[in-house]
Amino acid sequence: MTYHVLYNPYAGNNAGKENAQKLAQIFKDEELKFYDITKLNGYASFFSEIGPSDPVVLTGGDGTINRFVNETENLSIPNDILYYAVGTGNDFMNDLNKKPGDMPFSIKEYLRDLPTVTVGGITKRFLNGVGYGIDGYCCEVGDQQREKSDKPVNYTAIAIKGLLFHFKPANATVIVDGKKQHFKKVWLAPTMNGRFYGGGMMVAPQQDRRNPDKTVSVVLMHGSGKLKTLIVFPSIFKGEHVKHTEMCKTFTGHEITVKFDRPTALQIDGETVLGVTEYSVCSKVPAKV
């Protein structure tokens, strides 16, 4: 049996290959083959060339898994898919109460029937969540900082500065399974498959990616001024922001659309999309037996 290791060289602040090679110590008595996912000639070709019983090990962060699930969407994969986290955010690992560096484990069950998000006519599957509002703004600014420096991006600092000076809340229309509601001064409007995003923010503490109904949660932080929002915002890391029911609301469903009254950056599992006025999420309803 051979372990086929897929690595993203840009994961973990460009240490993806080096971190992936640590698996040689974990699987000392096994044969390992390493593949740079940025140089693969398509996953259909990759899986046709390896044994169907050989495990595949994904190494990287949330973005690496997101890329994998979207590029393999229409493939039937017999192999087990293991995951070895070496990214910087690792919200998927947080959601499963695991840590980077833990032993590789099977994630195949988590890659089935993932929700989709449609933005600007393009539909993609997502693993953790779709951020809209100041979270999308943070990713936009973080991308700009990465272009200028190799220093790690401090998203918390970006969020605080954004709340104080740069980010302006929008008015939003939210439609959950056909029910429409309007909200003013919306700071956050993410739709979540897991609990975490942004490198450790528990924005949707009650969301369960394994829930049998396959529902997702849209979380709204709205109606408050800068000062109160700034005071409450740090509690998002422990999921305690939802206790402030006067400014935080959570809705669950299978079909969710969020519309802003002005263009705002959006992020999908950490990938930034600029100038978005609307997104729609669809999670699969389990088939009736």
Side-chain angles (χ1 to χ4, degrees):
M1 180 171 66
T2 301
Y3 284 80
H4 300 272
V5 180
L6 298 168
Y7 68 89
N8 178 355
Y10 304 109
N13 292 320
N14 298 318
K17 182 176 182 179
E18 179 184 346
N19 286 325
Q21 289 174 338
K22 294 176 183 177
L23 289 169
Q25 296 300 315
I26 295 174
F27 298 115
K28 291 181 179 179
D29 300 323
E30 305 290 348
E31 180 183 1
L32 275 69
K33 290 186 177 180
F34 293 84
Y35 307 81
D36 181 340
I37 64 170
T38 66
K39 297 179 180 179
L40 284 182
N41 186 27
Y43 280 107
S45 174
F46 169 76
F47 280 103
S48 70
E49 293 171 2
I50 68 174
S53 61
D54 285 351
V56 172
V57 186
L58 267 180
T59 68
D62 298 315
T64 302
I65 308 178
N66 177 281
R67 179 171 179 163
F68 179 82
V69 299
N70 280 288
E71 294 183 1
T72 61
E73 182 175 5
N74 297 314
L75 295 181
S76 177
I77 300 174
N79 309 72
D80 194 10
I81 307 297
L82 309 180
Y83 180 55
Y84 182 61
V86 295
T88 52
N90 299 305
D91 291 308
F92 176 64
M93 294 289 282
N94 276 337
D95 202 32
L96 301 182
N97 298 311
K98 293 180 179 290
K99 304 183 299 297
D102 283 355
M103 283 289 293
F105 64 100
S106 177
I107 61 170
K108 201 165 185 180
E109 66 171 299
Y110 301 106
L111 307 185
R112 298 189 184 103
D113 299 324
L114 286 172
T116 62
V117 57
T118 301
V119 180
I122 298 174
T123 299
K124 295 183 65 175
R125 296 199 289 174
F126 65 94
L127 181 73
N128 298 316
V130 179
Y132 198 34
I134 196 163
D135 40 356
Y137 163 83
C138 289
C139 286
E140 178 182 8
V141 175
D143 289 348
Q144 294 169 356
Q145 290 184 1
R146 264 191 295 271
E147 290 178 358
K148 300 175 182 177
S149 171
D150 293 331
K151 294 180 180 179
V153 175
N154 187 331
Y155 287 104
T156 303
I158 294 172
I160 291 172
K161 290 179 182 178
L163 286 168
L164 281 173
F165 306 113
H166 307 298
F167 180 79
K168 292 180 174 59
N171 298 322
T173 298
V174 180
I175 307 169
V176 181
D177 290 344
K179 184 178 179 180
K180 182 185 293 186
Q181 299 186 67
H182 301 282
F183 298 90
K184 293 183 177 180
K185 294 179 71 174
V186 175
W187 297 91
L188 292 174
T191 295
M192 302 297 296
N193 181 46
R195 293 176 296 162
F196 292 89
Y197 73 0
M201 297 182 185
M202 194 191 297
V203 67
Q206 299 303 314
Q207 173 63 21
D208 181 1
R209 68 175 65 242
R210 290 170 285 193
N211 81 82
D213 292 328
K214 293 293 183 181
T215 52
V216 290
S217 298
V218 57
V219 182
L220 296 162
M221 184 178 284
H222 68 98
S224 56
K226 286 186 177 182
L227 182 58
K228 184 169 184 179
T229 305
L230 188 62
I231 291 170
V232 171
F233 189 80
S235 65
I236 201 170
F237 286 93
K238 294 184 177 180
E240 295 178 351
H241 60 295
V242 296
K243 295 178 181 178
H244 296 267
T245 55
E246 76 283 1
M247 59 183 289
C248 292
K249 290 182 175 60
T250 302
F251 305 97
T252 60
H254 294 104
E255 302 277 350
I256 294 174
T257 296
V258 179
K259 302 178 182 180
F260 274 11
D261 63 354
R262 65 173 182 82
T264 305
L266 171 149
Q267 63 88 12
I268 305 169
D269 285 344
E271 179 186 351
T272 311
V273 184
L274 301 177
V276 177
T277 55
E278 174 181 342
Y279 76 84
S280 294
V281 165
C282 176
S283 62
K284 291 187 176 182
V285 181
K288 293 182 179 179
V289 179

